[in-house]
Amino acid sequence: MVIILGARGYVGNAFCRMFDAQSLTYQPVSRKDINYTCADTLYKFLKECKPDFLINCAGYTGKPNVDACEMHKAECLAGNAVLPGTIRKACERLDLAWGHVSSGCIFTGAHRDGSGFCETDPPNFSFRTDNCSFYSGTKALGEEVLADSPKTYVWRLRIPFDNQDSPRNYLAKLINYKCLLQARNSISHLDEFVRACWHTWAVGADCGIYNVTNPGAVDTRQVVGLIKKHLLPDRQFKFFETEEEFMNVAAKTPRSNCVLDPTRILDTGAQLSTAVDAIETSLRDWERA
């Protein structure tokens, strides 16, 4: 049996759907069920449940976007940096393996040759590099808290999307934003992400960090072209002239635009479509809210 913390959230709900589809036994847990921010409370709950594995999807993302984290720093720090340590403490007391949903937003850019950052590269968009949003800084701290944890999987999600018209869906955001920023990024198809994460545990892959992104980075204009091709042929999209204009007009804090290398997760045998194929499949099967 698997415990899913933050099961009512965007990513947690995707794990629940996958478990339902595969008829796997799990227990969804939200803050309304137990106060899992308290290590002792979580420990007692897990000791009683005796799960085989735990998945943490809980955290603080800010709504409608990471700008909100700048005004709710205490909640952001607690959810993204403190909570992973709390879960680690409870799980280690029970010798329980677990997985933590992290983020690729702790990086910016790519290597000089255009290749993506791998799991051994240090974050370059964090408090330690003094160039990040508060959200990205706390996510990097969360990984530091887990750096030497021997029975923890750290799964990096990057700009999630699927075929569901949702405010959290990257494709829906591009459709609904009035003006877009041209940027190159790695992205994660949400359903493929949760399957790949579960795969690491199911096949007994080594614990540690995994960049769970679809192979091949895409840029905004490329994705817009696919949206026009498959969904909105007559839609006209506007772009900011520069990133400086974007920051002055539409954002309060710097954004992470980066490329990650998914080689490690692919080497486990996890199945991930190319980024372009995953986008096209999502758009062909688009379901409006």
Side-chain angles (χ1 to χ4, degrees), residues 4-263:
I4 303 178
L5 301 183
R8 295 181 181 177
Y10 184 56
V11 180
N13 188 49
F15 271 105
C16 292
R17 291 198 306 269
M18 180 200 70
F19 276 47
D20 286 335
Q22 297 187 20
S23 299
L24 298 170
T25 304
Y26 71 98
Q27 181 172 343
V29 178
S30 73
R31 284 280 299 278
K32 293 182 179 180
D33 301 313
I34 66 163
N35 180 19
Y36 51 70
T37 64
C38 173
D40 287 339
T41 300
L42 180 59
Y43 166 75
K44 292 176 183 177
F45 170 75
L46 296 176
K47 186 177 181 180
E48 181 178 340
C49 290
K50 295 181 174 60
D52 301 300
F53 192 67
L54 179 146
I55 296 172
N56 176 43
C57 303
Y60 190 89
T61 56
K63 293 181 180 180
N65 54 50
V66 296
D67 284 340
C69 296
E70 305 298 315
M71 296 179 288
H72 302 279
K73 291 182 176 179
E75 296 91 336
C76 187
L77 186 66
N80 297 335
V82 178
L83 180 60
T86 299
I87 298 170
R88 173 183 176 175
K89 181 178 179 180
C91 288
E92 286 185 348
R93 290 178 66 183
L94 295 165
D95 195 32
L96 176 66
W98 65 291
H100 171 66
V101 176
S102 185
S103 173
C105 72
I106 58 179
F107 290 94
T108 184
H111 287 303
R112 290 184 178 181
D113 63 359
S115 61
F117 296 106
C118 65
E119 289 82 356
T120 56
D121 288 317
N124 68 348
F125 196 66
S126 68
F127 292 142
R128 297 192 184 281
T129 51
D130 194 26
N131 61 342
C132 66
S133 66
F134 196 81
Y135 172 77
S136 291
T138 60
K139 294 302 285 190
L141 285 179
E143 288 201 4
E144 288 189 28
V145 169
L146 304 177
D148 59 346
S149 181
K151 301 192 72 172
T152 303
Y153 293 91
V154 176
W155 304 309
R156 288 175 177 161
L157 175 70
R158 180 71 193 146
I159 311 183
F161 69 98
D162 58 11
N163 68 327
Q164 303 293 315
D165 188 355
S166 160
R168 296 286 303 277
N169 184 335
Y170 171 55
L171 301 178
K173 290 179 180 180
L174 294 187
I175 291 169
N176 293 317
Y177 284 161
K178 294 181 179 179
C179 199
L180 306 177
L181 174 67
Q182 166 67 356
R184 182 168 177 257
N185 279 294
S186 290
I187 56 178
S188 302
H189 185 284
L190 186 59
D191 291 339
E192 293 188 11
F193 170 85
V194 297
R195 289 198 297 267
C197 292
W198 176 245
H199 172 84
T200 59
W201 161 250
V203 302
D206 291 340
C207 289
I209 301 172
Y210 289 87
N211 295 331
V212 191
T213 60
N214 293 83
V218 293
D219 65 52
T220 315
R221 292 186 185 276
Q222 182 180 9
V223 179
V224 163
L226 295 173
I227 292 173
K228 291 173 68 69
K229 175 183 176 181
H230 293 286
L231 192 64
L232 299 170
D234 299 323
R235 173 68 183 273
Q236 299 301 312
F237 291 87
K238 296 181 179 180
F239 283 81
F240 292 103
E241 293 291 335
T242 63
E243 187 170 353
E244 288 73 19
E245 181 188 6
F246 167 74
M247 290 301 303
N248 289 332
V249 174
K252 297 179 181 179
T253 189
R255 296 298 199 267
S256 162
N257 293 294
C258 69
V259 180
L260 301 182
D261 181 351
T263 298

Side-chain angles (χ1 to χ4, degrees), residues 191-193 195-196 199 214-215 265-266 268-274:
D191 291 339
E192 293 188 11
F193 170 85
R195 289 198 297 267
H199 172 84
N214 293 83
I265 187 69
L266 294 173
T268 69
Q271 300 298 307
L272 289 161
S273 308
T274 67

